[in-house]
């Protein structure tokens, strides 16, 4: 299913209201009044609606752009690369004012991005780096290396690796190989775990440590569950798993299901430390219930804000603010980037960070 939330200019309002609206102020009670004169259409191409975060990202950008007077064409490609290329082709043909792209396969959009460049349409890579092309102007993301570090630090802290000799058994999972982020998350995690692996305090039960052996195409939870089931029936059948490095909540839930199916989490056999990312509601519930240990929270409202500010600045002929110009080399060039900081969330701080921070309402966490 392709979700489309294109917004078109809708109503004609008196100029006095328009003047208010153009300054970005909301009118008409507590709901913002849509602007009458569009500052142009912005194409937003996102990977999938399977993961709730991308729905939130899309909604947040549409909402914020709407307030600034832009119309939007938001499309999801449901993890189908050709579909995303076709969607981007269509946006370029419409001559959108800018493109915001959360890619599926970061290396497969070169040709359509070339068309965007020829049409002088600026391109912002959203969350995931667009690789192997000169035709990406800016990158809005979180500090992805730090995400991996936070996940691994959770394992180190919960197993008290600094003070205990071990050995503890761990399994490693990584994300989708065609997503640059997956490689950066893993590199961040390994920067923390390597010394413990080298010292033998941590042992990978299956011996699988190479990225290609532990990757999870399309970040698919069912694929991760299957791999975990295979490990539990094979190399880990007689071992006690103490920790699982998981880069993303959807993968974590697949892993936890596999573990519970063979008896972890019951009868004096505790679940291992399991990490995650995105603070997905279903995983936050597992954290509250003591089944998933942590998640790395990335406030999608803030990321949307950064991307929208980039769009707005480019549309006005300005230069978007960035805070990193060297870390994200896409194979052709270092892409000017704005990095936001991810936050570690576990049972001890979910209330303060996620509920008090307004990301979720308390009643959403009720079973
Ligand atoms: C990554 C993203 C993560 C997670 C994952 C699966 O690119 O940075 O936050 O959402 O994709 O969707």
């Amino acid at each position: 299913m392709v979700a489309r939330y294109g917004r078109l200019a809708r109503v004609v309002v008196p100029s006095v209201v328009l003047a208010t609206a153009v300054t970005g102020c909301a009118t008409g009670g507590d709901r913002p009044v849509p602007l009458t004169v569009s500052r142009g259409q912005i194409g937003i191409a996102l990977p999938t609606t399977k993961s709730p975060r991308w729905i939130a990202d899309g909604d947040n950008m549409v909402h914020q752009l709407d307030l600034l007077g832009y119309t939007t064409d938001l499309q999801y490609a449901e993890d189908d690369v050709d579909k995303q290329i076709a969607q981007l082709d269509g946006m370029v043909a419409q001559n959108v004012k800018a493109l915001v792209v959360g890619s599926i396969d970061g290396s497969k959009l070169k040709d359509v991005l070339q068309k965007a460049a020829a049409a002088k349409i600026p391109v912002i890579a959203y969350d995931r780096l667009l690789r192997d092309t000169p035709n990406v102007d800016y990158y809005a993301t979180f500090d992805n290396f730090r995400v991996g570090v936070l996940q691994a630090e959770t394992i180190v802290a919960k197993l008290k690796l600094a003070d205990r000799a071990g050995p503890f058994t761990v399994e490693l999972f990584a994300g989708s190989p065609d997503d640059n982020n997956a490689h950066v998350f893993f590199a961040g995690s390994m920067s923390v775990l390597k010394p413990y692996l080298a010292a033998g305090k941590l042992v990978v039960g299956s011996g699988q440590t190479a990225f290609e052996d532990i990757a999870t195409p399309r970040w698919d939870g069912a694929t991760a569950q299957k791999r975990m089931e295979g490990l539990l029936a094979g190399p880990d059948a007689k071992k006690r798993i103490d920790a699982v490095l998981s880069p993303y909540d959807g993968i974590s839930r697949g892993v936890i299901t596999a573990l519970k199916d063979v008896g972890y989490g019951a009868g004096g056999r505790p679940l291992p430390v399991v990490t995650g990312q995105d603070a997905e509601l279903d995983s936050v519930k597992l954290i509250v219930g003591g089944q998933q240990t942590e998640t790395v929270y990335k406030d999608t409202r803030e990321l949307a804000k950064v991307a929208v500010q980039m769009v707005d600045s480019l549309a006005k002929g300005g230069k978007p603010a960035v805070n990193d110009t060297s870390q994200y080399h896409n194979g052709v060039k270092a892409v000017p980037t704005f990095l936001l900081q991810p936050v570690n969330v576990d049972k001890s701080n979910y209330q303060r960070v996620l509920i008090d921070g307004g990301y979720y309402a308390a009643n959403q966490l009720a079973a």
Side-chain angles (χ1 to χ4, degrees):
M1 187 194 77
V2 177
R4 272 184 82 118
Y5 304 97
R7 299 232 171 145
L8 296 172
R10 283 164 284 208
V11 268
V12 176
V13 290
S15 55
V16 58
V17 175
L18 179 62
T20 318
V22 166
T23 62
C25 298
T27 59
D30 58 353
R31 290 199 64 83
V33 170
L35 300 183
T36 53
V37 179
S38 170
R39 289 195 166 130
Q41 188 166 42
I42 310 303
I44 307 170
L46 294 182
T48 179
T49 55
K50 255 185 264 152
S51 154
R53 70 148 291 180
W54 296 112
I55 300 177
D57 289 78
D59 288 350
N60 288 332
M61 276 190 278
V62 166
H63 177 66
Q64 293 172 23
L65 285 164
D66 204 20
L67 288 177
L68 288 175
Y70 298 94
T71 55
T72 47
D73 181 4
L74 166 64
Q75 300 196 41
Y76 290 90
E78 303 311 346
D79 279 338
D80 178 337
V81 175
D82 291 335
K83 193 178 213 166
Q84 185 163 61
I85 292 171
Q87 290 173 342
L88 286 166
D89 255 322
M91 291 172 187
V92 171
Q94 283 174 58
N95 204 19
V96 291
K97 199 145 198 167
L99 280 174
V100 180
V101 186
S103 56
I104 298 159
D105 184 326
S107 297
K108 293 253 168 74
L109 303 179
K110 291 177 251 198
D111 294 348
V112 69
L113 294 178
Q114 179 59 48
K115 290 183 201 167
K120 300 205 166 21
I121 299 171
V123 173
I124 294 163
Y126 187 82
D127 193 278
R128 299 175 173 174
L129 186 60
L130 292 164
R131 292 197 53 90
D132 307 322
T133 174
N135 301 312
V136 48
D137 299 286
Y138 290 93
Y139 183 28
T141 194
F142 285 83
D143 184 336
N144 295 303
F145 192 86
R146 176 108 188 107
V147 169
V149 166
L150 289 175
Q151 291 163 339
E153 282 179 350
T154 296
I155 293 178
V156 171
K158 299 287 174 187
L159 295 183
K160 300 193 173 63
L161 289 184
D163 307 324
R164 290 156 80 193
F168 295 96
T169 303
V170 64
E171 285 297 346
L172 309 175
F173 283 72
S176 197
D178 49 8
D179 179 348
N180 191 67
N181 286 353
H183 299 266
V184 184
F185 298 149
F186 187 55
S189 291
M190 288 312 269
S191 74
V192 174
L193 296 183
K194 253 192 189 140
Y196 297 103
L197 290 164
K201 279 194 176 190
L202 272 183
V203 176
V204 178
S206 63
Q208 295 173 15
T209 56
F211 181 88
E212 53 278 16
D213 294 332
I214 63 163
T216 313
R218 299 285 180 263
W219 302 90
D220 181 46
T223 303
Q225 183 175 333
K226 237 183 227 149
R227 175 165 176 257
M228 192 73 222
E229 285 166 358
L231 298 177
L232 291 166
D236 293 330
K238 296 206 163 57
K239 294 177 184 148
R240 209 215 94 76
I241 309 281
D242 298 299
V244 179
L245 174 75
S246 162
Y248 157 62
D249 286 347
I251 291 176
S252 317
R253 292 195 297 275
V255 163
I256 290 169
T257 302
L259 286 161
K260 280 165 56 180
D261 283 351
V262 299
Y264 280 90
R269 213 174 158 206
L271 277 161
V273 174
V274 180
T275 62
Q277 176 178 199
D278 280 356
E280 289 191 350
L281 196 53
D282 286 343
S283 280
V284 178
K285 287 180 185 171
L286 290 180
I287 289 173
V288 177
Q291 301 193 335
Q292 185 172 319
T293 314
E294 70 98 51
T295 186
V296 177
Y297 166 56
K298 304 193 301 192
D299 189 338
T300 48
R301 297 167 299 187
E302 292 304 312
L303 188 58
K305 227 181 260 171
V306 169
V308 164
Q309 276 161 10
M310 284 177 169
V311 164
D312 193 40
S313 157
L314 288 165
K316 290 174 176 157
K319 234 175 151 215
V322 295
N323 58 10
D324 182 277
T325 50
S326 60
Q327 256 191 80
Y328 283 95
H329 200 285
N330 76 348
V332 175
K333 66 178 197 184
V335 184
T337 299
F338 196 99
L339 287 176
L340 287 164
Q341 282 308 312
V343 175
N344 217 347
V345 166
D346 61 17
K347 209 171 173 171
S348 71
N349 68 349
Y350 80 90
Q351 172 78 35
R352 180 172 55 78
V353 178
L354 300 178
I355 311 290
D356 300 350
Y359 200 65
Y360 291 127
N363 64 8
Q364 286 179 281
L365 290 180

